[in-house]
Amino acid sequence: MAETVRHQIERIQAEMQSRPAGLIEHSKRVAAEAIKIGQYWDVDAERLELASWGHDLFRHEPDERQLQLAREAGVAVGLEDRRSPIVLHGPIAASVMEHRFGVDDRDVLEAVRDHTLGLAEMSLIAKIILLADKVEPRKRKRDPAMKLIRKLAWRDLDAALLCWADWKWVEERQHGYESHPRHWSARVHWVREHHFEIDAADLRLESVLRAPVC
Ligand SMILES: [Fe+2]
Ligand SMILES: [Fe+2]
């Protein structure tokens, strides 16, 4: 019989008990935040809870261990990943959730995989998990910009993602970091989509303004 989502959550929570206390608390806060945002967007709370508890299963591991775990999990490792192996923790967690914990919900697995860098096309669950991870209470206390991004998430998840990507861009340049190519290509796609929507809206407005009044 297929394992219930609740049972999968409980097994992953049990696994998380061996992780650092800070990571456990962060996962709890991400779950609470994701469920709150998800209620507004009518997304199933258990699926969000499952992704939240799994997303940072391997966040605490040092670089060498990230590379080893990636090899074991069959996760592709690019040149950029070698420079910053921490970005592998999402793809590793998604693979382990699928193969060890029997999670077969593709949206949940993709949300876990892409929660660090994002992806051009993301499911509703993936967008919510990425944003909840960045705007949970501890993070927005640390950086007031996260409060604004959180506020925007209630109106427009795509605009909130784009604002987060802009924030990340500034952060990375200020600290002299390069952007990861997977994140950058997602960002370029989001910018294009956003401007296409604005252009489309402007064109509609133009045609309304040019149309005869009566
Ligand atoms: Fe993470
Ligand atoms: Fe996280």
Side-chain angles (χ1 to χ4, degrees):
M1 197 178 83
E3 196 178 33
T4 64
V5 174
R6 179 50 52 193
H7 191 208
Q8 289 169 347
I9 294 169
E10 285 167 3
R11 286 181 62 208
I12 291 171
Q13 283 174 327
E15 177 77 13
M16 280 297 289
Q17 292 315 302
S18 64
R19 305 311 197 246
L23 203 52
I24 300 173
E25 291 307 310
H26 165 67
S27 301
K28 266 187 213 166
R29 291 192 298 270
V30 172
E33 191 67 49
I35 290 168
K36 251 186 241 168
I37 301 173
Q39 273 170 349
Y40 182 79
W41 293 101
D42 200 20
V43 178
D44 182 78
E46 275 196 328
R47 297 173 76 200
L48 290 168
E49 210 182 333
L50 179 60
S52 299
W53 277 101
H55 85 287
D56 273 349
L57 264 170
F58 300 98
R59 175 66 181 79
H60 63 297
E61 299 287 4
D63 286 354
E64 272 310 305
R65 182 87 178 120
Q66 295 284 349
L67 292 167
Q68 184 194 347
L69 286 166
R71 271 194 303 276
E72 288 170 9
V75 169
V77 178
L79 195 64
E80 293 297 326
D81 304 323
R82 286 189 191 285
R83 283 195 197 126
S84 178
I86 195 68
V87 299
L88 294 166
H89 75 277
I92 294 167
S95 174
V96 170
M97 283 172 76
E98 181 176 5
H99 298 109
R100 196 195 306 165
F101 294 99
V103 176
D104 59 1
D105 184 327
R106 300 317 305 175
D107 288 351
V108 166
L109 294 173
E110 285 169 22
V112 169
R113 185 190 66 195
D114 301 323
H115 81 270
T116 310
L117 300 175
L119 192 70
E121 301 283 351
M122 296 169 83
S123 67
L124 205 47
I125 288 187
K127 291 174 188 176
I128 292 172
I129 292 297
L130 188 152
L131 288 167
D133 184 40
K134 314 300 177 274
V135 306
E136 57 95 336
R138 182 68 67 90
K139 302 258 182 91
R140 56 183 194 262
K141 200 172 169 189
R142 200 186 299 160
D143 192 324
M146 296 305 131
K147 278 188 196 150
L148 301 172
I149 292 173
R150 179 179 188 254
K151 214 171 169 185
L152 191 52
W154 303 99
R155 282 181 55 190
D156 185 334
L157 289 170
D158 295 317
L161 277 177
L162 189 50
C163 283
W164 164 72
D166 280 350
W167 170 88
K168 186 173 164 65
W169 182 20
V170 173
E171 281 286 301
E172 287 173 342
R173 293 307 171 278
Q174 278 179 347
H175 291 94
Y177 303 143
E178 290 293 313
S179 298
H180 193 291
R182 282 207 296 283
H183 170 72
W184 196 252
S185 72
R187 183 183 185 280
V188 167
H189 180 89
W190 296 342
V191 170
R192 272 205 196 111
E193 275 211 327
H194 184 71
H195 286 279
F196 176 78
E197 278 169 21
I198 290 174
D199 287 350
D202 281 351
L203 285 175
R204 279 199 299 275
L205 185 65
E206 276 290 293
S207 62
V208 169
L209 289 173
R210 279 192 206 136
V213 178
C214 49

